[in-house]
Amino acid sequence: MPTRSRAAARTAQPEEEPDEQEQQAQEEQRELGSRLEFNEALSWRAGKPIPLADLLRRLEALATELRGLDQEEGDNGTFAGVAKELAAHGLLSHKDKGVKAWVACCLVHILRLCAPDAPFTTQQLKEIFGLFVNTIIPSLSDPSHAYNVQHISVVQSLAEIKSVVIMTDLPSADSLIVKLFAASFDILSGAAKSPSGIQVGKHVEHYLTEILVIMVDEASSLPTEVIETIVAQFLRADPSSLSSGSSKRKRDDIIDERQSTFELKEVPPAYNMAKLICNSCPEKMARYISQYFNDVILNAKPPSSSSNHKSHRKSAVSREDWDSDDGAEGPSEEDLGELNKTHKLLRELWRASPAVLQNVIPQLEAELSAENVDLRVLATETLGDIISGIGAAGPPRPPVLDPTAYPPATYSTSADPALSTNVLTTPASPQSFPQSHPGAYACFLSRRNDKSPIIRAAWTIAIGRIVTTAAGGVGLSQHEEKDLVSALGEKLIDADDRVRIAAIESVSMFSFRDVIIKLGPSGGFNTPGSVLSNLAERVKDKKHSVRQDAIITLAKLWGVASGEIAAGNETVSSILSSIPSRILDAFYVNDQDINVMIDSAVYELLLPLSYPPPKKKTKAGLGSQTQEASSQANGHSNTTPDADMLRAERSLLLAKGLDDRAKKVFFSMQARQNQWAQVFQAFLKKCSEYNGGEVDPKAPVNIPALKAALHNLVKWFCENLPEPIRVNADLWKFIKANDRRSYHLLNFMMNADSDFKTALNALKETKKRFTDSTIALSPTALESMLPIFYRVGLFTYNRSHVPAIVEISRTDKNGLGATAHEFLKEISTRAPEVFKSHVKELCRSLEDETPTAKHTNQPIAVDTLKACAGFAQKFPNELPQERKFKKCLKSFAQYGSPHAASKHAVTILMASSDTYGSASDLVDLSLKDFKFGGDHFLAKLATLSQLCLLAPSETVVKEEAILDLVLKEVLAKVHTSLGESDPGWVADADLDDEITAKLICLKLLVNRLRARPDPAEAKEMAPRVYQLLMVLINNDGELSKKKDTPESHKARLKLMAAKLFLRLCKLKSYEELLGATPFHQLACTAQDPNPNIRKAFMDKLKKYLGQGHLSHRFYTIPFLLDSESLEPLRASTTTWLRSRALSFAANKNTVMEMTLARLLSLLAHHPQFSSDTSTLLGAASNIIFYLVPVAREENLGLIYYIAQRVKSVRDVITPDKSENLYILSDLAQALIRRWEDIHGWSMQSWPLKLRMPSSLFAMLPSHEVAQDIAIKTYLPPDMDDQLDALVKAAVKIKVKKRKSEIPGEEHARKRSRTSTGPLKKKKKHLAIRNGPKSKESKTPKGKKDNVTSSSERRKSGRLTEKEGMYAESSSSGQEDEEMNDISEEGDEDVEETDDGSGEEEAAEQGEESAEEEETEEAPAKASAPQSKPEPRTGRRSTRSTRATNGANAKD
């Protein structure tokens, strides 16, 4: 008989003492009740059993009577006899289920009535509870059971009376306890299948939960199997454990949103039961779970040397890539699986009952510092998910950023997609982890600088989830969120690409609204160091996967935000509007792989071809009402949108937000379509003739020539696409497939007459044909061909979009009018065939805006005229020829406002086939009653200027009158006096009429020359104009004898003079007339004190050089920017020079190397040149500025040879100053030798001879003179240390910009270097430039020591060179492989129009297309035969050879 049970303490006690009468009545009733009315036998003798029916009746009667008795009625002796019979083995093990059910009912009542002392022996109690656990409780799984009511009565009594606690006192009761827990959870989990399929009632769940809670609370200890059973229930939150055995779906498969109705809407009952147990007994469960977790860790055995350590948990980076030496040996694969399972349980336990983990969190904290990588990763991932409130089911599905959605998402109504109907994946944390476990949280944050990149990657993913989920819904303090966001920004510039990928993945977890609210406050894309800025830098990352993820994430963000940007949401616009600029700016890296990514981003995400999506077919009635309500909720009307208008608006919106560099790229991408389409059409034609290789021998086809043509075309595509080997193979697969239908479809896609729908359908069908197994096309070839399809198809400049763009240009819808006009101008110039069908409509709109003497036109008419002018130059006969239209153009020429309208009107008028009388009439009307400052005098001047260019035969008659008007009335007089209010420089839009008139007159004088390119006429007419322009340059824009020209006017006049010189030099006849001295004076404009002049002049110079319109001597001018104060101008010029040098090198052209000789001549004749040390140091800066973008190990020998050759010739310009050349020659040689040493290059002697420019150099009179010059050293002997410092500083800056330009990069490296602080700005040496000379010429103290220490730092930096290499292509200004030429991808035949359609100079700067920025130089006409130079045998002998070569070189 067991001892008195702990249940005695829980026996119900009366709340109030009854009075004497009531007490007496109760005693009488107790005496009556102590005698059981049931007096039938329940036992039988062997061989004479009680009939089943009788036995059931008796048991039922007994149970009914016992149920009616209260606990106080009777004692153990009263029920001893019945209890003995009920505990008989024959009843407890009876075969009939009904007998067992009624026996169990009777037994629980006996236990209730006899509490706290059960009238049974220990063995009897074991059999009784065996009946409960093995029979009664498992039967509850079938609610349709005949005795289900009795079963429920049993568990109800056990739960309410708590008699189940007796089982804890039984010896060897562990097996019963294990079965009790297992059976209970099986019932609620559905493991015990019910034949009827009826669900178990909630009251059963409640009773079973109460029983288990009692067992946990009262048991001194629980078997390990029980703890495993309890915690295993939390894994039911994992979808992979819920899938049935027949389901083959992998856990990581993406679940279709349409299947969301099949997801769990609430947690399983077994999960709730385990949760209630933990929350009801937190202290005990905390001890049990801590011990369970310890056992798992201790049982993890170290693996054998050959075991492969891989994690079963999917993370941002595959663990196969982990460093083998990073951490100690870890657990085996089997043990690692158990560890994963256990850590998954901890995630869910935190969501369900965080109190039970109070002893486990410190163990997780200890794992964060474990030597083994597996354990650190598990701990990092687990703590991150715990803080985020993410359970075993994993994180919620990432937000859907659909750039093709219409209506677009709005900031105000954007819902968080993470809050799904799936309760198991909805992040939820019961309490704040940072507040409840500050030590563990601090340790978790310290993993940001873990030595293992895989752990930093896991940590980065974790903090992204923490921020997006607001720490599981609990919320983060402002400081905590700011710290995590800042850390995310640092990980975007981590030295390891896996960490950067993880950081991009973390950013992609943010919804549109979260990006604005949580990432926006740290700064937008133009804020250095912010998350978004660092993300944009990854577009140029060295690793393919990093930049691909970055481009996709950024493009999706802008595509989703485009609706709010178009609506004028300032918050969204300030943060996200610059995304397209940052993406397109990567085009300047000139990496074919990046270019293809940009194409995909534009046509799939920024301007997706599937936007807007086709309207979904909905059922009548409720479906249409739902769609209408949804549309109205998003703030959009339910009217059917015009798809062409929507696409046009989106294209204009994108172009409107682009900066100048990105806009050039965007328009270049559209302009290159013409060239690519021509090449691809030729390719398709050859494919058709080739007929898949089965050419009819009788056909008039030259098979070898056909194959050669195909090879050349394929080679062209391979040169302009990444992975040329794969592209070559895929193109030949396409050729051999000979799919005629694809040929027709692709021609439709390129045809200017095809509307957008036709072009898009052609692309879709072509893509399907590549994936159709019945066609011989290769599915893998589509990846190579798709970039070609994007580049040849007319998708943006499509005829369907032109009417919408025209309408927007008129109405200025959403402020897109100016951009629409710019689009129209580009379309008219680049794709005039598309413009044909719409140009007449524009012309009619001009007729409605015709100005008169008293009525001015609308400003938007200027853009319309500009677009028509561009179209008129290529298709003049397509313009209206009616008299009304020509009369309209004459009116614009006379009265147009602003004056650019008159210029464009004249261009259109002169392009017409019938211009008889028009030009002479306009000349007469413009000269008649002309008065400076009179009505429409600017329009008259603009008309005359354009007529001088387009109708020289008509203006020559009135040439004398025109020149008198220009020179005497306009240029020679000063009509404005600004005095002290003179700002020195004004913006283009603020130019007053006087300076505008003078600029037009200068253009008029130059247009006279441009209209007469004949050399004989040029020599006659050019001197006076050249003299005038040179006066403006040398006198800083002053023409007046009284020196009273306002400073702002002088600056504009000087800039215009320099630009016009460049424009004239585009014509060979006029370029030859610009002598060396005037050229040097023109070159000094690049060093003008006014930064606006320098920038505008350099922009025009680079534009013309890139187009190949200027001679190679103009390449010397950009190298004068060594002391440029505008860092963007200096950086962009360096990048541009590097790209040109690479382009020439690819074509085996030595233009940039020969430029050194011209540069030395330019420096020798600089007005500030002298032989003192300070000036020479300034010249050394110019030479170093030349070496930075040009010098490479392959061409350094040639550069050195050219520097030597300068010392073997004499000066032609001023022969008596030839010594200046020799000084600079020695200086250049010294710098080149130091450049070689500091880079560790091996310079090869140049084996050939090159002819020096005869316009600058002449041969020396004798060999003896040459020998004397070669032997003599002209460089001051005290410059060695200073030159060393200059070269080291230049290389140091170069390395710093390429490797350490990104803020925060050092956070990812070991902090072993001693911090030296920021570089101090050195005092500049005397620079060779216009303006006052610098007084300071001494070398700063301590400079040499600083340089030496920086060299040592570079040596130590080489150890981490592998980690930092990715940053080399991270900066827009410092790419080693900067784009050689945007137009190499575009139209090589496109040249700037010089026939009168040119715009104002200021306007031209904003309208240069990317292919006008740079144009590939033609290869050298004759290249010297290449012979392999002999290797160097020693530095000393090589240098002596250099001196000998310099002495003996002759022309």
Side-chain angles (χ1 to χ4, degrees):
M1 188 77 177
T3 59
R4 181 177 178 86
S5 171
R6 288 187 293 272
R10 298 182 178 85
T11 303
Q13 299 293 336
E15 296 181 359
E16 298 180 358
E17 293 293 335
D19 55 21
E20 295 180 358
Q21 294 181 354
E22 291 180 353
Q23 188 175 1
Q24 184 177 2
Q26 290 177 359
E27 290 178 357
E28 294 176 355
Q29 182 67 29
R30 191 177 299 114
E31 292 177 357
L32 293 173
S34 63
R35 297 185 297 272
L36 283 173
E37 296 181 1
F38 181 81
N39 56 5
E40 298 184 67
L42 296 177
S43 60
W44 58 88
R45 293 194 302 270
K48 294 184 178 182
I50 302 173
L52 181 59
D54 289 345
L55 182 57
L56 290 174
R57 176 185 55 77
R58 295 175 188 179
L59 290 173
E60 182 178 3
L62 176 58
T64 303
E65 183 178 356
L66 292 174
R67 184 168 57 248
L69 297 178
D70 293 333
Q71 196 171 9
E72 293 79 6
E73 300 177 9
D75 52 23
N76 289 358
T78 305
F79 308 108
V82 175
K84 181 178 180 181
E85 290 187 297
L86 289 173
H89 181 74
L91 285 178
L92 294 178
S93 60
H94 201 281
K95 295 182 179 180
D96 186 72
K97 296 179 180 179
V99 172
K100 290 182 178 180
W102 284 114
V103 169
C105 288
C106 295
L107 288 172
V108 294
H109 291 311
I110 294 295
L111 292 175
R112 173 177 61 86
L113 295 171
C114 296
D117 298 318
F120 302 106
T121 64
T122 300
Q123 184 61 34
Q124 288 174 337
L125 285 173
K126 290 182 67 174
E127 294 187 11
I128 290 170
F129 280 98
L131 172 66
F132 295 159
V133 173
N134 297 325
T135 303
I136 302 303
I137 292 179
S139 299
L140 291 171
S141 61
D142 183 10
S144 63
H145 196 285
Y147 296 96
N148 187 59
V149 175
Q150 286 72 29
H151 299 158
I152 295 175
S153 176
V154 172
V155 295
Q156 180 181 3
S157 178
L158 291 174
E160 293 178 352
I161 306 303
K162 302 182 180 179
S163 54
V164 70
V165 76
I166 298 175
M167 188 163 54
T168 63
D169 294 326
L170 297 176
S172 303
D174 286 355
S175 60
L176 285 177
I177 296 175
V178 171
K179 291 179 181 179
L180 171 64
F181 277 83
S184 300
F185 284 114
D186 285 345
I187 292 170
L188 297 186
S189 65
K193 297 293 184 178
S194 170
S196 61
I198 302 175
Q199 190 174 2
V200 177
K202 289 290 184 182
H203 57 301
V204 175
E205 177 183 347
H206 171 70
Y207 296 145
L208 291 176
T209 303
E210 287 295 323
I211 291 173
L212 299 188
V213 169
I214 293 171
M215 295 300 296
V216 173
D217 190 32
E218 295 296 337
S220 59
S221 64
L222 290 175
T224 304
E225 294 85 349
V226 171
I227 304 303
E228 291 178 351
T229 301
I230 294 174
V231 297
Q233 308 311 310
F234 294 101
L235 282 179
R236 299 188 183 278
D238 184 8
S240 62
S241 65
L242 296 177
S243 59
S244 61
S246 60
S247 177
K248 301 284 185 173
R249 192 189 69 195
K250 296 181 180 179
R251 177 185 174 186
D252 296 329
D253 288 349
I254 298 176
I255 301 175
D256 196 314
E257 287 186 2
R258 293 171 294 181
Q259 298 178 354
S260 61
T261 54
F262 298 102
E263 296 177 349
L264 291 175
K265 301 300 187 295
E266 59 183 13
V267 294
Y271 178 99
N272 277 332
M273 178 186 287
K275 178 179 178 181
L276 286 172
I277 293 172
C278 292
N279 289 330
S280 300
C281 311
E283 295 181 0
K284 285 198 170 185
M285 289 303 300
R287 185 174 69 252
Y288 293 139
I289 290 177
S290 176
Q291 184 61 42
Y292 170 78
F293 185 74
N294 274 335
D295 292 342
V296 174
I297 296 296
L298 294 176
N299 290 334
K301 300 177 181 178
S304 61
S305 59
S306 61
S307 62
N308 185 20
H309 316 314
K310 293 183 182 179
S311 171
H312 293 274
R313 185 181 188 274
K314 182 180 179 182
S315 61
V317 184
S318 174
R319 298 185 187 175
E320 297 176 9
D321 298 330
W322 293 359
D323 297 333
S324 59
D325 58 347
D326 191 7
E329 280 190 321
S332 65
E333 186 173 358
E334 180 181 356
D335 291 333
L336 188 58
E338 287 299 318
L339 287 172
N340 278 319
K341 178 180 177 181
T342 305
H343 284 74
K344 189 186 300 182
L345 283 172
L346 295 180
R347 294 175 173 88
E348 197 61 41
L349 280 170
W350 175 265
R351 283 164 52 93
S353 180
V356 302
L357 296 182
Q358 58 184 345
N359 299 328
V360 178
I361 298 300
Q363 299 179 49
L364 275 177
E365 182 181 350
E367 282 188 7
L368 289 173
S369 303
E371 287 295 326
N372 180 255
V373 176
D374 296 305
L375 291 179
R376 291 211 310 277
V377 170
L378 279 176
T380 303
E381 293 173 342
T382 302
L383 276 177
D385 287 349
I386 285 176
I387 300 170
S388 304
I390 296 173
R397 290 197 300 270
V400 179
L401 299 177
D402 185 8
T404 66
Y406 184 84
T410 59
Y411 173 71
S412 58
T413 61
S414 177
D416 189 353
L419 301 178
S420 64
T421 57
N422 188 346
V423 67
L424 298 179
T425 58
T426 300
S429 180
Q431 61 189 41
S432 173
F433 187 89
Q435 294 179 6
S436 58
H437 301 280
Y441 182 69
C443 188
F444 167 77
L445 292 181
S446 68
R447 290 305 93 202
R448 71 200 300 173
N449 297 323
D450 195 286
K451 62 181 180 180
S452 172
I454 188 63
I455 294 176
R456 297 201 304 273
W459 186 86
T460 304
I461 293 291
I463 64 169
R465 292 174 178 173
I466 294 172
V467 177
T468 54
T469 62
V474 177
L476 293 167
S477 67
Q478 185 176 3
H479 171 73
E480 290 171 344
E481 182 171 308
K482 183 178 180 181
D483 182 55
L484 292 178
V485 171
S486 175
L488 181 58
E490 292 176 3
K491 295 309 163 192
L492 282 166
I493 55 175
D494 191 273
D496 194 277
D497 61 289
R498 293 168 289 183
V499 182
R500 301 197 298 276
I501 291 175
I504 296 173
E505 182 180 339
S506 290
V507 175
S508 66
M509 298 177 189
F510 287 74
S511 65
F512 169 41
R513 185 179 180 86
D514 282 343
V515 169
I516 304 301
I517 295 177
K518 298 178 180 179
L519 300 184
S522 68
F525 287 93
N526 297 321
T527 304
S530 67
V531 173
L532 298 178
S533 178
N534 290 345
L535 175 62
E537 288 296 331
R538 301 283 59 75
V539 171
K540 303 175 184 177
D541 199 280
K542 183 179 179 181
K543 296 292 184 178
H544 169 88
S545 56
V546 178
R547 56 177 177 256
Q548 183 179 41
D549 291 350
I551 290 175
I552 292 175
T553 300
L554 288 172
K556 283 185 176 180
L557 276 177
W558 187 89
V560 173
S562 60
E564 285 293 336
I565 296 174
N569 188 317
E570 290 297 331
T571 303
V572 177
S573 297
S574 62
I575 297 174
L576 302 180
S577 61
S578 60
I579 288 179
S581 294
R582 301 300 295 270
I583 293 176
L584 294 177
D585 190 67
F587 202 90
Y588 288 92
V589 179
N590 196 32
D591 183 275
Q592 299 293 357
D593 185 66
I594 294 180
N595 295 345
V596 169
M597 291 182 186
I598 293 175
D599 291 334
S600 299
V602 169
Y603 293 110
E604 295 174 8
L605 300 172
L606 295 176
L607 302 176
L609 300 180
S610 56
Y611 176 81
K615 188 175 180 181
K616 296 181 179 179
K617 296 181 180 180
T618 57
K619 296 182 180 180
L622 182 60
S624 59
Q625 294 175 5
T626 303
Q627 184 178 6
E628 179 179 353
S630 175
S631 179
Q632 292 176 355
N634 289 333
H636 300 275
S637 63
N638 59 348
T639 57
T640 302
D642 182 358
D644 294 333
M645 175 61 75
L646 291 177
R647 283 190 297 270
E649 288 179 359
R650 186 148 175 177
S651 299
L652 296 175
L653 179 67
L654 183 143
K656 180 183 178 181
L658 297 176
D659 57 28
D660 291 340
R661 282 169 58 91
K663 188 174 289 187
K664 292 175 183 178
V665 174
F666 178 73
F667 286 134
S668 169
M669 292 175 65
Q670 314 311 321
R672 85 185 159 194
Q673 185 275 336
N674 185 31
Q675 181 199 15
W676 276 74
Q678 291 178 6
V679 175
F680 198 63
Q681 285 173 346
F683 174 73
L684 294 180
K685 183 178 179 181
K686 296 299 180 183
C687 288
S688 179
E689 295 176 2
Y690 188 66
N691 196 33
E694 298 179 359
V695 182
D696 187 358
K698 298 181 179 179
V701 177
N702 188 337
I703 298 178
L706 180 59
K707 289 184 177 180
L710 280 173
H711 277 287
N712 290 334
L713 290 168
V714 170
K715 180 181 178 182
W716 187 89
F717 286 115
C718 293
E719 291 173 351
N720 291 279
L721 292 171
E723 301 184 52
I725 297 177
R726 190 193 67 178
V727 172
N728 179 77
D730 291 339
L731 284 174
W732 277 105
K733 290 178 182 177
F734 178 80
I735 293 171
K736 295 176 181 178
N738 193 32
D739 185 40
R740 301 281 174 164
R741 176 60 180 170
S742 295
Y743 300 163
H744 290 298
L745 291 171
L746 293 171
N747 279 310
F748 279 128
M749 194 169 60
M750 296 181 287
N751 194 340
D753 294 330
S754 298
D755 58 15
F756 183 83
K757 186 176 181 180
T758 301
L760 180 60
N761 289 338
L763 176 62
K764 289 181 177 179
E765 186 178 344
T766 303
K767 292 167 67 176
K768 287 182 180 179
R769 296 185 71 81
F770 273 86
T771 57
D772 190 348
S773 59
T774 61
I775 304 175
L777 297 176
S778 171
T780 59
L782 180 60
E783 186 177 352
S784 299
M785 300 289 289
L786 192 56
I788 300 177
F789 297 161
Y790 286 150
R791 295 181 183 184
V792 303
L794 270 173
F795 299 118
T796 304
Y797 288 172
N798 191 273
R799 62 189 298 268
S800 299
H801 300 155
V802 175
I805 297 174
V806 171
E807 181 179 348
I808 294 173
S809 68
R810 293 177 179 175
T811 60
D812 194 25
K813 183 178 180 181
N814 294 332
L816 299 174
T819 309
H821 283 293
E822 192 172 5
F823 250 72
L824 291 175
K825 186 253 182 183
E826 286 290 326
I827 294 175
S828 64
T829 304
R830 308 299 182 190
E833 297 85 356
V834 176
F835 204 67
K836 282 183 181 180
S837 58
H838 307 282
V839 68
K840 293 184 178 180
E841 183 179 356
L842 285 178
C843 294
R844 284 194 295 270
S845 68
L846 289 175
E847 294 175 0
D848 297 335
E849 293 288 339
T850 303
T852 62
K854 298 181 179 181
H855 172 72
T856 59
N857 56 277
Q858 294 293 329
I860 62 173
V862 179
D863 297 310
T864 305
L865 284 166
K866 185 188 298 183
C868 292
F871 179 82
Q873 296 173 40
K874 293 189 176 181
F875 299 97
N877 296 328
E878 297 293 333
L879 290 172
Q881 302 297 324
E882 293 85 359
R883 184 176 180 181
K884 181 181 178 181
F885 179 64
K886 293 188 176 181
K887 184 178 180 181
C888 164
L889 293 176
K890 287 185 177 181
S891 296
F892 272 106
Q894 289 180 266
Y895 312 115
S897 176
H899 65 277
S902 302
K903 178 183 68 174
H904 297 314
V906 173
T907 301
I908 300 172
L909 195 60
M910 293 298 101
S912 176
S913 58
D914 183 13
T915 60
Y916 180 77
S918 298
S920 58
D921 291 344
L922 288 176
V923 172
D924 293 339
L925 291 173
S926 300
L927 292 174
K928 183 180 180 181
D929 300 329
F930 179 87
K931 180 180 179 182
F932 185 89
D935 293 338
H936 310 291
F937 82 105
L938 292 179
K940 294 179 180 179
L941 287 175
T943 299
L944 290 174
S945 175
Q946 202 70 353
L947 288 172
C948 286
L949 179 65
L950 302 180
S953 59
E954 302 294 336
T955 57
V956 71
V957 180
K958 303 287 185 178
E959 191 172 70
E960 185 176 352
I962 294 173
L963 292 178
D964 287 344
L965 182 152
V966 168
L967 297 174
K968 298 179 180 180
E969 295 295 327
V970 181
L971 292 177
K973 297 181 180 180
V974 177
H975 301 272
T976 304
S977 178
L978 298 179
E980 296 181 356
S981 62
D982 190 353
W985 180 268
V986 294
D988 299 336
D990 299 328
L991 294 177
D992 56 41
D993 288 349
E994 180 180 353
I995 185 58
T996 302
K998 290 183 177 180
L999 295 179
I1000 295 174
C1001 289
L1002 289 178
K1003 289 183 181 180
L1004 184 149
L1005 295 175
V1006 172
N1007 284 345
R1008 288 179 58 249
L1009 302 184
R1010 294 170 61 199
R1012 298 174 176 85
D1014 182 71
E1017 290 184 288
K1019 289 183 180 180
E1020 180 183 354
M1021 300 176 61
R1024 292 183 59 190
V1025 178
Y1026 273 38
Q1027 182 181 4
L1028 174 65
L1029 297 179
M1030 196 53 63
V1031 168
L1032 289 172
I1033 292 176
N1034 293 333
N1035 295 341
D1036 292 329
E1038 184 64 79
L1039 273 180
S1040 173
K1041 295 180 179 180
K1042 298 180 180 180
K1043 309 295 182 182
D1044 56 351
T1045 304
E1047 291 297 326
S1048 58
H1049 290 189
K1050 290 164 60 178
R1052 285 289 180 173
L1053 289 171
K1054 180 177 182 180
L1055 174 60
M1056 180 57 69
K1059 284 185 174 182
L1060 291 177
F1061 258 128
L1062 296 179
R1063 181 172 292 184
L1064 282 172
C1065 289
K1066 291 167 62 177
L1067 301 174
K1068 185 178 180 181
S1069 56
Y1070 290 103
E1071 195 273 338
E1072 293 174 349
L1073 297 178
L1074 184 66
T1077 300
F1079 174 80
H1080 293 164
Q1081 295 170 346
L1082 173 64
C1084 290
T1085 307
Q1087 295 180 326
D1088 191 273
N1090 192 320
N1092 297 289
I1093 294 178
R1094 297 199 302 272
K1095 183 179 185 308
F1097 175 72
M1098 289 305 304
D1099 288 344
K1100 185 63 66 175
L1101 175 66
K1102 289 188 290 186
K1103 169 187 172 181
Y1104 289 162
L1105 282 173
Q1107 294 173 340
H1109 292 166
L1110 295 176
S1111 65
H1112 294 156
R1113 65 169 170 168
F1114 284 89
Y1115 276 102
T1116 58
I1117 299 177
F1119 294 109
L1120 296 179
L1121 295 181
D1122 64 294
S1123 301
E1124 177 56 50
S1125 59
L1126 295 177
E1127 182 57 30
L1129 176 59
R1130 176 188 172 92
S1132 63
T1133 302
T1134 303
T1135 300
W1136 182 83
L1137 288 170
R1138 183 180 293 112
S1139 71
R1140 300 308 303 147
L1142 292 174
S1143 176
F1144 284 124
N1147 294 322
K1148 308 297 183 182
N1149 199 322
T1150 60
V1151 169
M1152 298 303 285
E1153 290 81 1
M1154 287 299 300
T1155 300
L1156 177 62
R1158 296 185 178 275
L1159 176 60
L1160 297 180
S1161 174
L1162 176 59
L1163 296 176
H1165 293 88
H1166 197 282
Q1168 293 184 3
F1169 181 81
S1170 65
S1171 59
D1172 62 274
T1173 302
S1174 60
T1175 304
L1176 291 180
L1177 288 175
S1181 297
N1182 290 99
I1183 298 172
I1184 291 175
F1185 189 69
Y1186 165 85
L1187 293 175
V1188 168
V1190 177
R1192 305 184 312 280
E1193 185 174 11
E1194 297 81 11
N1195 68 348
L1196 195 63
L1198 174 58
I1199 295 174
Y1200 188 86
Y1201 169 76
I1202 294 172
Q1204 285 182 320
R1205 286 295 310 276
V1206 173
K1207 202 173 178 181
S1208 66
V1209 295
R1210 63 182 177 87
D1211 195 346
V1212 170
I1213 304 173
T1214 52
D1216 56 335
K1217 294 185 178 181
S1218 296
E1219 186 173 337
N1220 292 349
L1221 287 176
Y1222 308 149
I1223 295 173
L1224 290 172
S1225 175
D1226 281 351
L1227 179 62
Q1229 293 178 58
L1231 291 172
I1232 294 171
R1233 289 194 298 268
R1234 286 167 172 79
W1235 196 264
E1236 174 194 21
D1237 292 340
I1238 201 168
H1239 283 87
W1241 293 344
S1242 177
M1243 180 167 55
Q1244 303 294 325
S1245 299
W1246 184 253
L1248 306 176
K1249 288 187 178 181
L1250 295 178
R1251 183 175 297 278
M1252 302 293 280
S1254 58
S1255 60
L1256 300 178
F1257 309 107
M1259 294 194 317
L1260 292 171
S1262 65
H1263 175 73
E1264 290 74 14
V1265 174
Q1267 189 70 27
D1268 293 340
I1269 294 173
I1271 295 174
K1272 183 178 179 181
T1273 300
Y1274 292 87
L1275 200 63
D1278 59 342
M1279 291 188 64
D1280 287 346
D1281 293 341
Q1282 294 169 320
L1283 293 181
D1284 287 338
L1286 278 178
V1287 173
K1288 290 180 179 179
V1291 175
K1292 176 181 176 182
I1293 293 174
K1294 180 180 178 182
V1295 172
K1296 182 179 179 181
K1297 284 184 177 180
R1298 293 189 184 179
K1299 292 190 176 181
S1300 303
E1301 186 176 24
I1302 302 178
E1305 182 182 351
E1306 293 299 324
H1307 289 288
R1309 301 181 180 178
K1310 295 182 179 178
R1311 304 175 184 273
S1312 59
R1313 299 185 189 177
T1314 302
S1315 176
T1316 57
L1319 290 175
K1320 296 182 179 179
K1321 186 175 182 181
K1322 297 180 296 184
K1323 295 180 180 179
K1324 294 184 178 180
H1325 301 294
L1326 181 60
I1328 299 183
R1329 60 178 298 158
N1330 292 341
K1333 294 185 178 181
S1334 172
K1335 296 181 181 179
E1336 182 64 31
S1337 62
K1338 296 182 179 180
T1339 305
K1341 294 181 179 181
K1343 183 175 181 182
K1344 182 177 180 181
D1345 293 338
N1346 290 339
V1347 173
T1348 303
S1349 61
S1350 67
S1351 175
E1352 293 300 319
R1353 287 194 298 274
R1354 282 196 301 275
K1355 290 179 181 179
S1356 62
R1358 294 188 189 109
L1359 299 177
T1360 56
E1361 183 180 3
K1362 185 177 180 180
E1363 292 182 347
M1365 284 295 288
Y1366 83 95
E1368 292 185 2
S1369 60
S1370 299
S1371 173
S1372 61
Q1374 301 298 329
E1375 297 87 352
D1376 268 345
E1377 295 185 1
E1378 182 68 72
M1379 62 177 300
N1380 295 335
D1381 181 3
I1382 294 182
S1383 67
E1384 289 178 1
E1385 309 273 338
D1387 192 347
E1388 294 182 353
D1389 296 330
V1390 174
E1391 296 183 357
E1392 184 187 68
T1393 305
D1394 289 326
D1395 57 357
S1397 64
E1399 308 85 352
E1400 287 293 327
E1401 293 295 329
E1404 284 182 354
Q1405 297 175 20
E1407 295 171 356
E1408 297 168 0
S1409 63
E1411 64 271 19
E1412 291 176 335
E1413 171 82 353
E1414 301 168 354
T1415 302
E1416 183 180 4
E1417 288 286 339
K1421 294 182 179 178
S1423 58
Q1426 299 295 319
S1427 61
K1428 185 176 181 179
E1430 297 180 1
R1432 296 176 57 184
T1433 57
R1435 185 175 303 278
R1436 181 177 302 174
S1437 61
T1438 304
R1439 289 186 178 178
S1440 63
T1441 304
R1442 295 169 187 161
T1444 305
N1445 289 343
N1448 297 331
K1450 293 184 180 180
D1451 279 335

